[in-house]
Amino acid sequence: MAITRRRFMQNSVGSVLASPPLLSMLPAFASSAHRPGDKEYGSGHFGTWIEDEFGLPAFRYTCNQTTDPRARTDVSPGVLAPTEHIHQIGNDRITAIASNFGHVRVRQDEGAPKFLNDYDPETEQFAGGLGWLTDGRETLTTLYSGNDPEMERTFGIGYFRKRLSSKSHSVDQILSAPFGDDPVLLSQVTVTNHTASPAALRWIEYWGCQTYEFSFRDFIESWTGVGSPPQLRRAAGRRCTHQMRRVHDGLLETRHFPGHTAQEDQAWQRIRAQLQAHPNGFISPVPDPAPGAWIESEGAPPTFLVALSAAPTGFSSDAATFFGSGGPANPTGLSRALDGNLDSTGPHTALLLETTLDLKPGEQRTLHFLYGYLPEGFDLEALTARYRQSAATALQTSSAAWKRTGLRFSVDSEPWVERETIWNHYYLRSSLTFDDYFAQHILNQNGFYQYVMGFQGAARDPLQHALPFLFSNPDIVRSVLRYTLSEVRDNGSVPYGLTGHGMVAPMVADNSSDIPLWLLWAVSEYVLATRDIEFLGERIPARVSGPSGRTDTVANLLARCYRHQIEDVGFGEHGVARMLSDDWNDGLLGTWAQSALPEATEKGESVLNSAMAAWVFDEYARLLGYAALDSTHESDVRHNADRNREAARAQWTGRWFKRAWLGPTLGWLGESTLWIEPQPWAIVAGVTTPEQSRALVATMNDLLRKGPIGATQMSQGPDITMPGIFEPGTIVRGGIWPSLNQTLIWALAGVDPAMAWDEWKKNSFAAHAEAYPDVWYGAWSGTDSYNAPFSRNPGETAKDPAFHGVDFPVLNLHSHACFLYSATKLLGLDFTEHGLRLSPVLSSSYRFESPLLGLSRSPEGRYEGWYSPSRAGEWTLLIELPPNDAAKITHVEINGRPVTPEKLAGGGWKLIGKSEPGKSLRWVLR
């Protein structure tokens, strides 16, 4: 059954409220509380971590970016300014980027991803969330200029806070996204009169109205030299016309895009014809979109600004007149009341509300405003009524909801771990948006790919990002799985990426060899973890290929993906899985196989694919066995798991595994250079012998793990110096990738636990901020790859002309999701047909807690935990403890009763117990 927005939230919150009691027994986040005058570990140069009034981590941003040379980043003119650093505020529907300059841009995905309120000073568009307080003599503004009075800026969970004061007055503005699925932001403004006299004050609340769509058409057109993507996107936004009308205590704006000119459309058709005749190696020919899909949208939903706590005393839509010659630092319009003019329809249109305040000496008053947009299914009157009642407590309520949701991981010896786990969960979940083409909430990769390039991909990425929610929010996982399952084509392949509104991104990498493996992995682990076996029978609509209205079951779609891997991807002359246009490494063929690209595409083989497929097929077979589906199919899957395992095993060089076969002309990659991609999968999938595993780990430690922030993707061998794009030590020439290192941590946990723990910590924001304190990204959010220590700019990200990652170096979800998922591998966690295995590797006391599963170790070596799947059943737990702890265990309990468990041959215990919904299987070892 398709999930509704209301049911999505009820289920998400309900699953947390029903979580096991140990969740509430843990102490509040206090171990990393701010100590005055002392920065917390992992803060870096630009601010410090604190604990806010709600007991949650927050980042106090203290840098004056207008004067500090370390604040500058070498960005291209576009989305971010050179000294702009951003924080994300969001909920399950709306996402906004909050700037260190004080303004906020709101992203909205229905129709196509876009900003609803661009920052474009040329048209007097200054994003939103700004305000001005004036008594006619002095003015305070929440736009940051770097001048006195200094503004205190705090990046919090679900909010952005700005506080400033003069001798006479102070302003405390909090912009927040209420927890849930509503497409709104709240602006809470507290004004205080510090004088001994009454004060007659005016507050003007401002939100801009200019669209900035992340158009992939503009990205393609920019390759022809007609302008950069930001120039083309802003030109389109400026052409929109606006209509403004009064609503109760506020303004409602609608906008209309008149379309491209005939000349622009003709130029676009010429580009399409050129790509059809001469694909450029990255962009493929652009097809006509399927019915209901488009490469860019034709408009945006209505936006609104409503005063909740007091009727506004003035309003206007004319930003040009309001700002006048003084600009946003000192608007000319502050000299008089807003004139009520709603006639502005051009690029200067904005939402402006004015409220007057008469404050007694020492008096304080709080105003509340509601800004948002209206997608299908939402009503302005209902939203306004809801938040008029709850605005005063909304931030406290949201913070409490964030505090009780998600997974938590705390380690007594490393207090920052709890902070970073909470923070990463927030950033990951607040990146949810709603795709109305697929009618699902999704977790796109975001970062540079979304905000600069304008496409949603690769398809493997939302699947990775959903994995941490296995433990806390299964509804989110199901939503992402439905989104991806509905993309499965008739032949079982999955598009590389999407763009606009349901359109397959026209990219050469669309013929990718590995993406169905990720879908098989994600669905299999979801069902085995949660025991939601009914999901396999759910019917999924085909949204990318096939007749309109056709559906198929999840189980059949998985079988189709499996057949595609075996029959269409297939195997090469060495028995290794073929690579087609790419595997995980989208740049491998285009960089290392340029001189014989057709041959490499036809005959190339990927050791990564075979090593990964060996484990994924094992996992898929476990799913088939647990669900008691087709036993013949299960046998075939197990056979092909072994086939891939043997093929990968044959590529052992004596120190590591080869990377890829590029065909007879170019031969093997990875014979003289260590590529990380296949190595961890080989260990996880049982390709290696125990001796090989130890040798491989030692080699990776020697060649890849010498830096402070995680293993590099490649060693400094001959392969890294081959001619082509990208500098050595960056991107896929030896960069540092969280998405690769999460699998490395997984593999290390079974071979060298101390190294696994060290690698996990190295891939944290805290480690990056300590190692590279003057790089702003990597302190509270990050990119998908950092430069290696041996690169020209270590700790930074790519500045390659073909991939200028510094243009938007944060909000990439790998930097948040991989940290969370790999934490579960420190527990040695693996779900099986019959229950789960646990082989925790940490010797310090710690607590991992989530609604699905928990595990804690006390300082005395007492272990306790729970398992709480959605389905009642009897589950087998295989638990292996570190040797020193195992030797001390004398007492075992299952569901509160002492038991004598079966001892395992290799050490550890076999425990069997029952659970049912709302009643966990609990166990204790002491």
Side-chain angles (χ1 to χ4, degrees):
M1 182 176 67
I3 193 165
T4 63
R5 287 185 290 267
R6 179 172 297 175
R7 188 174 175 216
F8 178 91
M9 280 313 305
Q10 288 173 340
N11 290 349
S12 297
V13 175
S15 67
V16 174
L17 295 179
S19 60
L22 186 57
L23 195 65
S24 60
M25 293 167 54
L26 297 176
F29 173 76
S31 56
S32 297
H34 178 55
R35 299 186 299 273
D38 183 22
K39 282 192 175 186
E40 287 293 327
Y41 174 80
S43 293
H45 169 72
F46 300 94
T48 186
W49 288 103
I50 64 170
E51 180 184 296
D52 69 13
E53 63 196 274
F54 308 109
L56 290 168
F59 190 82
R60 178 73 49 75
Y61 184 91
T62 58
C63 173
N64 183 342
Q65 72 271 16
T66 67
T67 58
D68 189 336
R70 288 173 285 190
R72 188 171 184 85
T73 306
D74 183 24
V75 303
S76 307
V79 182
L80 300 182
T83 57
E84 187 172 18
H85 308 155
I86 60 171
H87 167 55
Q88 177 173 281
I89 54 178
N91 56 25
D92 290 346
R93 169 75 57 156
I94 201 167
T95 300
I97 63 171
S99 169
N100 56 351
F101 285 97
H103 58 73
V104 170
R105 279 169 280 184
V106 175
R107 173 179 158 192
Q108 173 268 320
D109 275 20
E110 293 91 342
K114 64 184 75 67
F115 286 137
L116 292 171
N117 57 332
D118 187 24
Y119 183 83
D120 184 11
E122 292 183 25
T123 53
E124 279 80 40
Q125 292 286 344
F126 300 101
L130 298 175
W132 294 263
L133 179 75
T134 184
D135 62 1
R137 296 180 297 277
E138 69 173 21
T139 298
L140 292 177
T141 175
T142 58
L143 173 72
Y144 184 84
S145 66
N147 301 321
D148 291 333
E150 183 67 19
M151 182 190 296
E152 180 185 286
R153 293 156 290 172
T154 302
F155 300 159
I157 288 183
Y159 69 87
F160 174 37
R161 188 171 199 167
K162 302 173 285 182
R163 290 194 280 199
L164 68 161
S165 63
S166 66
K167 292 182 179 179
S168 301
H169 313 110
S170 64
V171 174
D172 180 356
Q173 183 182 27
I174 304 175
L175 302 166
S176 65
F179 189 90
D181 193 33
D182 285 338
V184 299
L185 296 181
L186 283 163
S187 173
Q188 175 181 295
V189 184
T190 300
V191 178
T192 305
N193 176 16
H194 296 294
T195 72
S197 303
L201 301 168
R202 298 165 54 221
W203 171 262
I204 291 87
E205 179 91 7
Y206 163 86
W207 293 81
C209 295
Q210 183 164 297
T211 305
Y212 182 97
E213 184 173 331
F214 312 139
S215 166
F216 200 61
R217 168 175 164 167
D218 290 337
F219 177 76
I220 294 172
E221 289 181 321
S222 72
W223 287 44
T224 68
V226 298
S228 69
Q231 289 172 331
L232 297 172
R233 292 164 183 170
R234 290 210 166 97
R238 292 168 184 172
R239 290 218 301 270
C240 285
T241 58
H242 306 263
Q243 302 241 337
M244 193 77 66
R245 66 182 178 89
R246 286 289 307 276
V247 293
H248 186 60
D249 290 341
L251 299 173
L252 178 68
E253 175 264 350
T254 57
R255 65 192 78 182
H256 171 69
F257 177 59
H260 292 283
T261 66
Q263 292 82 359
E264 288 171 334
D265 283 336
Q266 290 168 5
W268 173 237
Q269 294 307 321
R270 287 195 297 271
I271 292 171
R272 293 183 63 186
Q274 291 169 5
L275 286 170
Q276 186 69 41
H278 307 288
N280 66 10
F282 182 69
I283 303 297
S284 65
V286 182
D288 291 330
W294 48 76
I295 195 168
E296 61 181 8
S297 70
E298 298 178 353
T303 63
F304 60 87
L305 178 63
V306 175
L308 298 175
S309 51
T313 53
F315 52 88
S316 177
S317 66
D318 186 358
T321 298
F322 173 71
F323 290 119
S325 60
N330 187 27
T332 304
L334 288 177
S335 62
R336 57 190 179 276
L338 294 182
D339 58 11
N341 178 11
L342 298 182
D343 294 334
S344 179
T345 61
H348 304 290
T349 304
L351 297 152
L352 287 156
L353 291 183
E354 178 176 332
T355 302
T356 58
L357 305 93
D358 293 314
L359 298 184
K360 299 174 184 177
E363 186 179 2
Q364 183 179 89
R365 184 174 169 191
T366 299
L367 305 173
H368 295 96
F369 299 88
L370 186 70
Y371 170 84
Y373 69 96
L374 294 174
E376 184 179 354
F378 286 89
D379 175 72
L380 176 57
E381 195 170 314
L383 287 171
T384 302
R386 182 182 313 157
Y387 289 100
R388 202 180 297 279
Q389 294 293 322
S390 63
T393 58
L395 181 59
Q396 181 178 356
T397 301
S398 287
S399 297
W402 281 114
K403 197 169 185 178
R404 67 174 179 260
T405 59
L407 58 83
R408 295 289 188 272
F409 183 39
S410 59
V411 180
D412 288 355
S413 61
E414 305 276 359
W416 61 269
V417 167
E418 184 180 11
R419 174 193 77 209
E420 190 148 329
T421 304
I422 294 169
W423 187 260
N424 277 307
H425 169 260
Y426 162 70
Y427 254 73
L428 185 61
R429 181 161 181 174
S430 66
S431 297
L432 276 169
T433 58
F434 188 77
D435 188 308
D436 59 338
Y437 182 82
F438 293 92
Q440 299 295 337
H441 288 78
I442 68 169
L443 285 164
N444 186 35
Q445 184 175 181
N446 295 328
F448 177 89
Y449 303 96
Q450 180 72 85
Y451 289 95
V452 176
M453 292 177 64
F455 88 100
Q456 301 181 57
R460 64 178 77 93
D461 297 316
L463 298 167
Q464 293 181 76
H465 305 150
L467 290 175
F469 293 113
L470 289 169
F471 303 92
S472 59
N473 301 92
D475 289 314
I476 293 176
V477 184
R478 281 194 298 273
S479 190
V480 172
L481 293 179
R482 291 184 185 112
Y483 163 72
T484 311
L485 286 161
S486 63
E487 299 175 52
V488 175
R489 296 181 172 116
D490 293 345
N491 69 352
S493 66
V494 179
Y496 176 82
L498 301 168
T499 190
H501 185 66
M503 182 168 175
V504 175
M507 304 178 74
V508 171
D510 186 64
N511 190 30
S512 177
S513 60
D514 69 317
I515 289 178
L517 290 174
W518 298 83
L519 182 55
L520 288 165
W521 170 12
V523 176
S524 298
E525 186 158 10
Y526 166 75
V527 175
L528 290 171
T530 66
R531 308 298 162 176
D532 180 12
I533 199 170
E534 290 79 12
F535 181 68
L536 296 171
E538 184 175 319
R539 300 198 70 87
I540 303 294
R543 299 292 288 151
V544 167
S545 66
S548 176
R550 188 190 67 184
T551 65
D552 206 345
T553 65
V554 171
N556 286 344
L557 291 168
L558 295 181
R560 197 188 303 174
C561 288
Y562 168 77
R563 287 195 300 272
H564 172 74
Q565 288 297 130
I566 300 303
E567 298 172 5
D568 300 332
V569 176
F571 302 88
E573 62 183 277
H574 301 90
V576 174
R578 293 176 61 225
M579 187 158 52
L580 305 183
S581 66
D582 74 343
D583 52 18
W584 174 91
N585 188 335
D586 302 325
L588 193 155
L589 288 182
T591 302
W592 280 268
Q594 291 181 60
S595 61
L597 187 58
E599 179 184 271
T601 304
E602 178 187 358
K603 298 183 178 182
E605 300 171 58
S606 168
V607 180
L608 166 61
N609 278 356
S610 273
M612 181 180 178
W615 183 87
V616 171
F617 289 170
D618 282 343
E619 184 82 345
Y620 180 39
R622 284 194 286 269
L623 167 68
L624 295 170
Y626 169 67
L629 296 177
D630 186 344
S631 59
T632 302
H633 182 43
E634 179 186 348
S635 296
D636 187 67
V637 174
R638 293 189 185 279
H639 165 73
N640 278 299
D642 290 337
R643 179 181 180 182
N644 275 287
R645 202 168 357 256
E646 290 303 316
R649 186 171 289 147
Q651 308 316 317
W652 177 249
T653 67
R655 298 186 68 197
W656 59 72
F657 290 90
K658 301 171 190 174
R659 176 61 177 90
W661 169 257
L662 300 182
T665 301
L666 297 176
W668 284 100
L669 275 179
E671 290 185 303
S672 56
T673 302
L674 171 57
W675 297 58
I676 196 175
E677 291 100 311
Q679 318 304 329
W681 279 115
I683 295 172
V684 168
V687 174
T688 52
T689 65
E691 293 77 13
Q692 286 175 330
S693 293
R694 290 190 290 270
L696 179 55
V697 164
T699 302
M700 289 192 290
N701 188 46
D702 287 342
L703 300 182
L704 304 179
R705 295 193 63 253
K706 295 306 183 184
I709 60 167
T712 60
Q713 174 255 347
M714 192 188 302
S715 67
Q716 291 177 269
D719 291 349
I720 207 171
T721 60
M722 292 180 68
I725 60 174
F726 312 142
E727 294 181 2
T730 73
I731 316 181
V732 291
R733 281 187 182 273
I736 298 166
W737 295 79
S739 61
L740 294 175
N741 289 345
Q742 71 172 347
T743 317
L744 175 62
I745 293 160
W746 182 357
L748 292 175
V751 181
D752 190 324
M755 195 183 298
W757 175 229
D758 181 63
E759 182 66 26
W760 187 78
K761 291 189 293 182
K762 282 185 173 184
N763 280 271
S764 66
F765 293 130
H768 188 279
E770 289 293 313
Y772 303 105
D774 294 343
V775 180
W776 74 272
Y777 48 91
W780 61 87
S781 185
T783 181
D784 65 339
S785 72
Y786 298 100
N787 299 342
F790 55 81
S791 69
R792 290 200 298 177
N793 299 291
E796 299 183 22
T797 195
K799 299 179 182 178
D800 193 273
F803 191 90
H804 209 244
V806 291
D807 289 348
F808 204 96
V810 288
L811 309 192
N812 187 288
L813 294 195
H814 289 299
S815 65
H816 302 284
C818 296
F819 183 81
L820 295 175
Y821 182 71
S822 58
T824 70
K825 299 308 178 182
L826 298 174
L827 310 180
L829 175 61
D830 186 22
F831 296 103
T832 71
E833 302 97 314
H834 310 294
L836 55 88
R837 295 188 185 93
L838 285 168
S839 303
V841 304
L842 300 181
S843 57
S844 175
S845 55
Y846 58 86
R847 292 176 291 273
F848 178 91
E849 30 140 5
S850 75
L852 176 70
L853 179 143
L855 175 64
S856 69
R857 180 192 185 276
S858 72
E860 298 78 27
R862 170 191 170 105
Y863 288 83
E864 65 175 297
W866 70 77
Y867 179 43
S868 189
S870 63
R871 190 184 192 197
E874 183 175 80
W875 314 112
T876 299
L877 311 183
L878 306 176
I879 302 176
E880 181 179 355
L881 302 182
N884 288 342
D885 286 346
K888 300 175 185 176
I889 297 299
T890 60
H891 180 81
V892 180
E893 292 179 12
I894 297 290
N895 290 333
R897 296 183 178 181
V899 297
T900 302
E902 176 185 340
K903 284 286 189 75
L904 299 177
W909 298 267
K910 178 180 179 180
L911 283 61
I912 300 176
K914 295 181 178 180
S915 77
E916 57 188 68
K919 187 177 181 181
S920 307
L921 162 60
R922 292 183 165 276
W923 56 272
V924 175
L925 297 173
R926 60 177 171 83

